[in-house]
Amino acid sequence: MEIKRRKFQGVLNILSFNRHFYVIGLLVLVVLIAALNFYKIPLVITGIILGVFLYGFLMPLLVSAYVYDFSGYYNFNWLDKLGLKEEQPKHLVNINAGFDETSFILKNNFPEADIKVFDFYDPKQHTEPAIVRARKVSLVYPNTQQIKTNRIPVSSNSVDVVFLLSAVHEIRSYKEKVLFLKECKRICKPNGTVITVEHLRDFSNFLAFSIGFTHFFSRKTWKKAFTEAGFSIFKETKFTPFMSIFRCSS
C-alpha cells in the first residue's frame, strides 16, 4: 500500500490531536492581552511578555513542521545512513503506542521482508485525549496485534530488526521500559538490532518545547535502560537537532 502524506500532515496532526491545549492557549492569550491593557503595562514589558508567550505557543508547531514535514523523516532516507537496506533484513517487528504512521512505509522500504506490527496502547493507562483522537484516524496495518509491554508474542532469536519509532517514551515507568526492552532483545537474533527514534530531554528540545520537553527522556536514561536490558552496543545518530536514532544490539 503506497502511503502519500499530505502537506503539513505532521503539524496538522499535532494541532488536531492536541487541540484542547491550543484552544486553552488562545483563551489565555486573550485574557493576557486584556489584563496587560487594563493595567496599562508599559509597551516594552508588554512586548516581552507577549513575545515569550507566543514563542512557547508557536515554537513547538514550527519545530514539529520541520521534523515531521520537511526533514524527510517519513521518507525513511535516514535508513540509508544506517545501512539497513544493504543488510536486507527478512524479519521485522514494528511496535507503536497506539498511533501507526510507519508500518506501511516500512513495508514499501522492505518489500521482501515479513513485518509483524504490535501496539502496546493500553486504554486504561493511556487516557490522554491526544492518543484517543490519534487512534481514531490511525491506519491499521493488517494483523496488528495488541500486546502488553512485558510480552511480545514472537519466538526468541527470530527477528532481524525491531523498530521503535517515537513510541517508547509513552512507557513512563523506567522499570516497565527496561522489561519491554528485554523483550525486544529476547526476540532479536544474535546479530539483530533495535532501532529507536526519539526526541530527547536536552537543550535543543527545551528550546523547541519549553516545559514540554519533560515528556521525553535523556540520552543517559535511554543508554542506562538499554544497558540494563542486556544490550552491549548503543550507537546514537542525530536526525535533525531535535531527534536521535539509537541503534542497539548485543
Side-chain angles (χ1 to χ4, degrees):
M1 179 178 180
E2 186 71 24
I3 301 298
K4 185 175 181 181
R5 293 176 64 83
R6 297 173 297 160
K7 289 184 177 180
F8 302 104
Q9 181 172 330
V11 73
L12 289 174
N13 282 345
I14 290 171
L15 279 170
S16 176
F17 303 155
N18 298 282
R19 55 183 176 269
H20 52 296
F21 287 124
Y22 290 98
V23 169
I24 293 171
L26 289 173
L27 292 175
V28 170
L29 178 60
V30 170
V31 172
L32 180 61
I33 292 173
L36 291 171
N37 183 62
F38 179 80
Y39 289 105
K40 299 186 181 341
I41 303 299
L43 187 60
V44 173
I45 297 177
T46 296
I48 292 173
I49 292 173
L50 292 179
V52 170
F53 182 90
L54 290 174
Y55 178 92
F57 192 72
L58 296 176
M59 187 55 68
L61 295 178
L62 295 174
V63 171
S64 296
Y66 165 55
V67 171
Y68 296 111
D69 295 312
F70 295 104
S71 70
Y73 176 58
Y74 286 105
N75 294 335
F76 276 51
N77 294 333
W78 49 270
L79 285 175
D80 298 331
K81 296 181 180 179
L82 301 179
L84 283 181
K85 292 182 180 179
E86 288 75 13
E87 296 172 14
Q88 298 183 339
K90 297 299 182 184
H91 300 282
L92 310 179
V93 164
N94 189 30
I95 305 177
N96 66 74
F99 182 53
D100 186 2
E101 287 192 295
T102 59
S103 293
F104 286 105
I105 303 174
L106 279 174
K107 185 60 177 178
N108 288 339
N109 279 272
F110 300 98
E112 303 301 320
D114 171 63
I115 300 181
K116 292 183 173 64
V117 181
F118 301 103
D119 173 2
F120 63 71
Y121 171 79
D122 184 345
K124 293 182 180 179
Q125 295 183 12
H126 306 146
T127 57
E128 297 91 341
I131 297 179
V132 174
R133 291 175 185 139
R135 285 179 63 79
K136 291 181 180 179
V137 300
S138 177
L139 292 173
V140 179
Y141 192 82
N143 301 315
T144 296
Q145 296 183 52
Q146 294 289 136
I147 62 170
K148 299 292 185 180
T149 51
N150 62 355
R151 180 62 182 169
I152 303 173
V154 175
S155 300
S156 300
N157 305 316
S158 63
V159 177
D160 294 303
V161 185
V162 177
F163 287 95
L164 309 173
L165 306 178
S166 299
V168 188
H169 66 272
E170 298 295 351
I171 303 176
R172 307 308 297 173
S173 162
Y174 180 79
K175 181 179 179 181
E176 182 184 2
K177 196 192 318 289
V178 172
L179 290 174
F180 173 72
L181 293 175
K182 284 183 177 180
E183 270 295 281
C184 292
K185 183 179 183 298
R186 178 188 65 80
I187 67 175
C188 279
K189 294 177 181 179
N191 61 343
T193 187
V194 175
I195 303 298
T196 306
V197 180
E198 288 286 350
H199 290 279
L200 297 184
R201 188 181 298 182
D202 58 13
F203 185 66
S204 294
N205 281 290
F206 171 72
L207 293 178
F209 301 104
S210 63
I211 193 64
F213 91 134
T214 58
H215 186 59
F216 310 121
F217 296 94
S218 68
R219 183 186 189 277
K220 181 179 178 180
T221 297
W222 284 113
K223 184 175 182 179
K224 182 181 178 184
F226 275 103
T227 300
E228 288 189 21
F231 293 91
S232 58
I233 299 175
F234 179 88
K235 295 182 179 179
E236 179 186 11
T237 303
K238 292 300 292 186
F239 178 74
T240 79
F242 307 102
M243 296 190 82
S244 291
I245 304 167
F246 301 130
R247 182 170 186 174
C248 302
S249 55
S250 299

